[in-house]
Amino acid sequence: MGVEETGHRERPRDISELPGVGSTIAAKLREAGFTTVEAIAVSTPQELSTVAGIPLSTAQRIIKAAREALDIRFKTALELKMERANIKKITTGSKNLDALLGGGVETKTITEFFGEYGTGKTQICHQLSVNVQLPPEKGGLSAKAAYIDAEGTFRWERIEAMARGVGLDPDEVMSNIFYIRAVNSDHQIAIVDELFTLVPKENIKLVVIDSVTGHFRAEYPGRENLAIRQQKLNKHLHQLMRLAEIYNVAVVVTNQVMARPDVFYGDPTQAVGGHVLYHAPGVRVQLRRSRGGKRIARIVDAPHLPEGEAVFMITDYGIRDPEE
Ligand code: GTP
Ligand code: MG
């Protein structure tokens, strides 16, 4: 466990936890729209002082505390290098897919698997929940997983089979996966809030959300709700990004996109829905079906990763390379 993880644990997440913000000031700030530590970090002392009726010097102190809480400060290039060095990788079970991802699914990053139905998004989520438990020499992190199921497609039977497939004890593997069904988008967001406590407490190194978009699409349908939907989703993704960075965990999300049969050139799955990480940092992996039960993965706009495609299979024991 790296030093940086313990160092971040006590950081205030709610504005009322910031030094100098009592319940009265917190209530005034919330009323004025400063509901998050982020909002306070980017405000000016004049603004805060006016809306909360506090002295300028107090406002300055609160803003400084908010910025420190979010780690907004000058860092040396060496610090940046050390932060990168902490990144760990989880094997997908397919060497081809791992190579495409630069060694596996990374911690401190959101990885989005997107594609049509049946392309293997949920199977990959199951496999990673098992593989994160492997020891490092076998491509894991000897850690646990949190699985947020928004679609009701989690199957413990698959976990059992995949655990056997990598030679781990199935019951032990299943007891190391914290499962929860998200019933709507607000619940999904509240669950991630809770993870800020659960993740460090339980040595969780993988957080799965399958799918991250389903509830948002259902609750904010159509073109007329696109702006509000994207706004809510972006907030959710930032919450996830913070979780990934603070606790050095891998966040894996899925997103179903529909093919457009009317698009005859270029990429037929590109147009509808698109990938959710469009404006957020992270790795986007497009999946599609191929002949003979094979699946093809492709990384979308990630200049630091190798170009090209990876072919993998879904077997009874999980994600594997195709037989030669
Ligand atoms: P949506 O959630 O509908 O968007 O699809 P998805 O991308 O999540 O697909 P999913 O990961 O559920 O993949 C389903 C496919 O995995 C099936 O069509 C099968 O090809 C394969 N699969 C699922 N379970 C098994 C299994 O036990 N054995 C084998 N060999 N393949 C399986
Ligand atoms: Mg699925």
Side-chain angles (χ1 to χ4, degrees):
M1 192 139 305
V3 182
E4 100 290 358
E5 282 137 325
T6 42
H8 286 246
R9 248 169 235 181
E10 304 306 327
R11 292 220 162 114
R13 294 192 296 109
D14 189 83
I15 63 165
S16 62
E17 292 169 32
L18 291 170
V21 180
S23 54
T24 321
I25 295 179
K28 281 185 189 159
L29 289 173
R30 281 204 187 92
E31 213 172 294
F34 295 96
T35 53
T36 62
V37 177
E38 281 90 346
I40 291 173
V42 298
S43 67
T44 67
Q46 288 74 14
E47 266 181 296
L48 275 206
S49 154
T50 311
V51 299
I54 50 176
L56 211 55
S57 58
T58 309
Q60 267 160 351
R61 247 200 340 273
I62 293 172
I63 292 169
K64 186 164 176 277
R67 288 182 185 165
E68 275 166 13
L70 298 173
D71 211 14
I72 302 173
R73 60 183 172 89
F74 273 110
K75 290 177 189 172
T76 64
L78 185 62
E79 277 182 278
L80 292 180
K81 182 186 166 183
M82 302 298 273
E83 283 177 10
R84 280 297 301 177
N86 256 319
I87 290 175
K88 309 260 180 1
K89 284 159 190 179
I90 307 166
T91 179
T92 59
S94 153
K95 290 197 176 70
N96 295 345
L97 186 52
D98 285 353
L100 187 76
L101 292 163
V105 167
E106 286 187 345
T107 61
K108 292 198 180 183
T109 303
I110 302 178
T111 303
E112 174 186 346
F113 289 96
F114 72 103
E116 284 180 69
Y117 72 93
T119 46
K121 303 181 291 294
T122 297
Q123 296 302 311
I124 290 176
C125 292
H126 280 66
Q127 187 73 60
L128 289 167
S129 302
V130 172
N131 289 2
V132 68
Q133 303 186 39
L134 288 166
E137 64 272 18
K138 288 191 169 166
L141 301 176
S142 300
K144 303 180 188 179
Y147 200 108
I148 305 172
D149 184 4
E151 318 218 297
T153 52
F154 180 82
R155 297 285 174 270
W156 58 263
E157 294 91 336
R158 286 299 284 150
I159 298 293
E160 209 169 35
M162 288 174 179
R164 289 208 177 89
V166 294
L168 292 176
D169 177 65
D171 284 353
E172 203 175 306
V173 166
M174 287 191 284
S175 68
N176 287 332
I177 299 173
F178 294 86
Y179 170 87
I180 188 162
R181 177 91 158 95
V183 295
N184 58 41
S185 67
D186 283 337
H187 185 219
Q188 195 170 308
I189 289 165
I191 291 167
V192 176
D193 271 335
E194 261 182 69
L195 285 176
F196 280 85
T197 314
L198 190 71
V199 161
K201 192 168 136 231
E202 292 288 351
N203 186 32
I204 290 167
K205 287 286 163 197
L206 169 73
V207 171
V208 165
I209 308 189
D210 183 26
S211 81
V212 76
T213 41
H215 285 312
F216 291 88
R217 286 222 181 97
E219 291 163 36
Y220 305 98
R223 196 165 274 278
E224 66 275 24
N225 287 314
L226 193 65
I228 175 91
R229 181 171 81 212
Q230 200 53 43
Q231 191 189 331
K232 293 228 166 196
L233 204 47
N234 281 345
K235 218 175 138 207
H236 186 41
L237 290 167
H238 278 116
Q239 186 191 24
L240 288 167
M241 198 60 228
R242 212 150 49 91
L243 185 73
E245 275 175 357
I246 292 176
Y247 296 115
N248 196 17
V249 302
V251 173
V252 170
V253 304
T254 71
N255 175 28
Q256 195 198 67
V257 295
M258 282 171 299
R260 277 190 51 177
D262 55 320
V263 176
F264 287 110
Y265 54 92
D267 181 352
T269 58
Q270 198 76 347
V272 179
H275 44 75
V276 288
L277 285 176
Y278 195 69
H279 297 294
V283 175
R284 309 168 254 280
V285 188
Q286 185 181 33
L287 301 177
R288 63 180 205 272
R289 272 184 298 265
S290 174
R291 269 161 291 150
K294 291 181 185 139
R295 302 292 191 280
I296 300 172
R298 188 171 71 96
I299 306 259
V300 177
D301 48 62
H304 67 291
L305 288 170
E307 278 194 29
E309 298 184 329
V311 182
F312 67 93
M313 299 270 296
I314 305 167
T315 73
D316 287 353
Y317 289 102
I319 307 296
R320 294 289 185 275
D321 285 328
E323 320 261 300
E324 297 303 314

